[in-house]
Amino acid sequence: MLIRKAPDFRYSEITPKQVYMNRRRFLATAAIGGGLAAVDARAANPYSGVVKSPLSTTEKPTPLNAVASYNNYYEFGTQKEEPAQRAKALKTSPWIVSVEGAAAKSQKLDLDSIMKIAPLEERIYRHRCVETWSIVVPWIGFSLSAFIKHVEADAKFVAFETLYDRKIMLGPGQAGIPLPYVEGLRMDEAMHPLALLCFGMYGEPLPNQDGAPIRLIVPWKYGFKSIKSIVKIKFVQKQPPATWNITNPTEYGFYSNVNPAVDHPRWSQGSERRLGEFTKRKTLPFNGYADQVAQPYTGIDLRKNF
Ligand SMILES: Nc1nc2c(c(=O)[nH]1)N[C@H]1C(S)=C(S)[C@@H](COP(=O)(O)O)O[C@H]1N2
Ligand SMILES: [Mo]
């Protein structure tokens, strides 16, 4: 039968939208012809028509083409326009994530089975890069906490690692950071309902340059914590290395909560520019999520622990 589930169904990455839509229609027709009239065309795209999360901001999403053409993904170039071109070389199917360390169900999981762990939701989040640009994106995924519960992890921290394929990616010298790209969260941060394990955006799979096929979105932290194209998730007892923190610890802390009161040594963090807009906005503590996330950090000096 022609109908396939994600992640195999990824024509959107290799063909123009028009062709993609036509193929979807073709598949729907084929299903009816094959006696499966009950199969809705939507079944071909698990990323669209998903539940809208109450955790969404009501702000207007940034246009998709801005979000997908101005990226930080250093493995594919240090200029913002480069990842959209170079990440085309990334093969996102099949995709295996290795779950390691202190989890009862440590194992290799394919993307399909990870995506079935919990119902997909659309979560519209603000996202703030440490370089002072911001975006609002309808991400698609579910809380990282659902994944952590599913694998029955019991640890103090969780460590993440991005794919590293030297054939299609820069070397560390060219990228200016050690590779593979790594990140980490304290377990209570990782368990926070806002922390999102993300597979898509704008009703479609993630574009490669935005971290396909599976990434993290931690909306109250600077963007670099939101690691892309994850191949390893390891549960550990000690604070794991985080790429920008080990590259330049005086400029980038492990926590990296968005904090307009603590300037970057080379620039202010007090304001930001939303992609597609000209006037600057004030940056809010915890990127505007303070009411939801301040609690895990009570008793911690966030100026010292930045
Ligand atoms: N593997 C990997 N993940 C990464 C990065 C990177 O260079 N490599 N850049 C980070 C930074 S600095 C930001 S701001 C966000 C950007 O996400 P976006 O391109 O989807 O907006 O991805 C983060 N995740
Ligand atoms: Mo960033």
Side-chain angles (χ1 to χ4, degrees):
M1 188 59 226
L2 269 170
I3 300 288
R4 287 186 290 165
K5 301 182 300 300
D8 297 321
F9 199 90
R10 284 268 176 63
Y11 298 121
S12 59
E13 283 170 6
I14 50 168
T15 58
K17 180 92 179 183
Q18 193 68 49
V19 180
Y20 169 61
M21 294 310 290
N22 284 341
R23 284 207 217 183
R24 277 175 66 186
R25 244 174 264 129
F26 166 74
L27 289 179
T29 313
I32 293 162
L36 288 170
V39 178
D40 191 271
R42 256 185 325 176
N45 183 0
Y47 304 84
S48 76
V50 300
V51 169
K52 294 193 188 307
S53 168
L55 296 170
S56 288
T57 167
T58 54
E59 283 171 274
K60 197 167 131 284
T62 305
L64 164 61
N65 86 51
V67 174
S69 63
Y70 190 89
N71 300 97
N72 273 340
Y73 196 156
Y74 275 54
E75 293 91 323
F76 290 113
T78 56
Q79 303 299 308
K80 308 287 182 243
E81 311 74 37
E82 287 179 318
Q85 297 308 316
R86 293 212 182 140
K88 285 175 185 159
L90 178 66
K91 197 170 163 273
T92 57
S93 179
W95 193 271
I96 308 290
V97 177
S98 179
V99 183
E100 302 178 13
K105 293 188 181 156
S106 292
Q107 58 185 305
K108 291 188 189 307
L109 289 171
D110 64 27
L111 188 67
D112 243 346
S113 37
I114 296 173
M115 286 180 70
K116 284 188 195 115
I117 288 172
L120 295 181
E121 298 171 11
E122 179 180 87
R123 295 245 190 113
I124 306 174
Y125 280 166
R126 284 181 296 280
H127 188 68
R128 167 66 155 76
C129 176
V130 75
E131 295 167 276
T132 78
W133 46 276
S134 66
I135 48 183
V136 174
V137 178
W139 304 108
I140 294 153
F142 50 74
S143 292
L144 175 62
S145 66
F147 176 89
I148 294 171
K149 284 180 198 147
H150 178 83
V151 300
E152 296 173 20
D154 181 18
K156 292 208 172 73
F157 294 90
V158 52
F160 302 88
E161 193 173 302
T162 295
L163 172 86
Y164 186 53
D165 181 351
R166 185 66 186 88
K167 289 194 289 296
I168 57 167
M169 292 168 164
L170 300 184
Q174 300 163 297
I177 50 175
L179 293 171
Y181 194 102
V182 292
E183 258 303 339
L185 294 171
R186 213 170 61 187
M187 194 55 112
D188 60 336
E189 302 180 301
M191 288 299 290
H192 194 286
L194 282 174
L196 187 72
L197 196 58
C198 175
F199 311 97
M201 63 188 212
Y202 302 88
E204 298 280 346
L206 286 166
N208 287 357
Q209 62 271 29
D210 285 280
I214 173 173
R215 71 175 299 181
L216 210 61
I217 299 291
V218 194
W220 70 94
K221 292 178 180 282
Y222 290 118
F224 61 82
K225 298 297 287 184
S226 293
I227 184 171
K228 295 175 169 181
S229 309
I230 297 165
V231 291
K232 195 201 278 188
I233 301 178
K234 187 169 183 179
F235 296 94
V236 295
Q237 305 306 339
K238 279 203 232 140
Q239 183 176 300
T243 295
W244 286 98
N245 177 234
I246 58 177
T247 302
N248 196 340
T250 58
E251 297 193 353
Y252 309 106
F254 175 80
Y255 289 101
S256 287
N257 295 311
V258 173
N259 190 348
V262 176
D263 286 343
H264 185 279
R266 292 181 281 136
W267 60 80
S268 160
Q269 291 293 9
S271 66
E272 65 195 65
R273 194 178 69 82
R274 190 70 45 89
L275 291 191
E277 295 179 5
F278 293 99
T279 46
K280 285 194 168 181
R281 300 164 175 258
K282 273 178 77 171
T283 289
L284 300 170
F286 297 101
N287 199 25
Y289 296 98
D291 291 350
Q292 286 133 286
V293 301
Q295 194 276 329
Y297 306 107
T298 44
I300 293 186
D301 182 346
L302 292 172
R303 283 174 181 275
K304 280 194 197 121
N305 298 283
F306 58 93

